[in-house]
Amino acid sequence: MSTPQHEIRARHTATTVTVYQAYSPSIGLPTARDGRFPDTWKRDRMTWIKPSFLWMMYRCGWGTKEGQETVLAVEITREGFAWALEHAELSHYVRGVHPDRATWQRDLRRSPTRVQWDPERDLHLNTLPHRSLQLGLSGEAARRYADEWLVSVTDVTPLAHEIHALVRAGETDRASALLPAEEPLTGLAAPVPAGR
């Protein structure tokens, strides 16, 4: 059975959802150490969270891109993740989903969360035919994320490097076995671009 085009897949429990972010060591290391974002983490800026480990690896180059050397697995409450989805707007205008561009722009300005669907990635970071969710959190959503939803933070940079080394060595079975298990998140929905 093929994977649905737009489906939220994540590592999750009955009460939590794990998302990924990558930061410079000056932000990432204290966050992992203390289990919370440091004072230097700006709550007034938009922050993007990604439930897909491999999409995060694509974005941060397996933790090698400048300013993204520390990869974090951030476990948040399922309730918080659901709140973010309920208050989300698509990050781009879609004819047929939005009445018109002006309405979409107004709704986007009011929304603390934006949804983007990007092509999912395989172990070699090639695009797959289905999409992966990204959530942009700003304003109230970013503050709630940092101060209310956070359950635990784990530095998964060593895991990223280990999987990448196995992929480079052609040991894809061993690399696949180390990937976090991401399953569909039932009961939660995000805005989707119709017909895409």
Side-chain angles (χ1 to χ4, degrees):
M1 193 171 97
S2 64
T3 303
Q5 179 79 348
H6 299 94
E7 177 182 61
I8 306 170
R9 293 170 303 280
R11 185 173 158 213
H12 61 92
T13 69
T15 57
T16 64
V17 177
T18 298
V19 297
Y20 298 94
Q21 294 193 291
Y23 289 101
S24 65
S26 63
I27 296 281
L29 294 177
T31 301
R33 182 191 66 225
D34 301 333
R36 60 183 171 76
F37 290 104
D39 292 339
T40 50
W41 191 86
K42 294 180 172 51
R43 284 158 174 74
D44 57 348
R45 287 180 54 185
M46 177 165 286
T47 189
W48 288 88
I49 59 176
K50 304 154 187 72
S52 166
F53 180 82
L54 284 174
W55 205 94
M56 185 72 257
M57 294 308 100
Y58 164 72
R59 182 69 180 84
C60 72
W62 298 99
T64 63
K65 288 186 181 176
E66 186 178 353
Q68 300 184 58
E69 300 93 342
T70 306
V71 185
L72 302 178
V74 183
E75 191 179 23
I76 62 174
T77 64
R78 187 183 178 106
E79 187 179 356
F81 192 78
W83 186 95
L85 293 174
E86 288 164 13
H87 293 82
E89 179 57 76
L90 283 171
S91 62
H92 60 281
Y93 171 72
V94 180
R95 189 190 308 271
V97 172
H98 306 104
D100 52 60
R101 190 174 291 276
T103 302
W104 165 73
Q105 287 174 331
R106 185 194 67 227
D107 291 346
L108 189 66
R109 279 193 302 272
R110 292 177 178 170
S111 174
T113 316
R114 52 187 65 178
V115 163
Q116 197 165 295
W117 293 97
D118 295 295
E120 182 59 283
R121 302 285 162 164
D122 65 14
L123 264 177
H124 300 282
L125 307 185
N126 297 316
T127 60
L128 292 171
H130 52 276
R131 299 275 166 160
S132 178
L133 176 81
Q134 279 197 80
L135 274 178
L137 310 176
S138 65
E140 183 182 0
R143 290 190 296 275
R144 285 179 178 236
Y145 172 65
D147 301 326
E148 297 174 23
W149 303 343
L150 217 57
V151 174
S152 70
V153 183
T154 306
D155 184 348
V156 292
T157 313
L159 175 65
H161 292 169
E162 184 179 1
I163 294 172
H164 188 209
L166 289 168
V167 171
R168 286 201 317 263
E171 298 189 48
T172 52
D173 287 346
R174 287 181 63 199
S176 291
L178 294 177
L179 289 173
E182 294 168 3
E183 301 290 338
L185 262 171
T186 57
L188 297 177
V192 298
R196 292 184 58 193

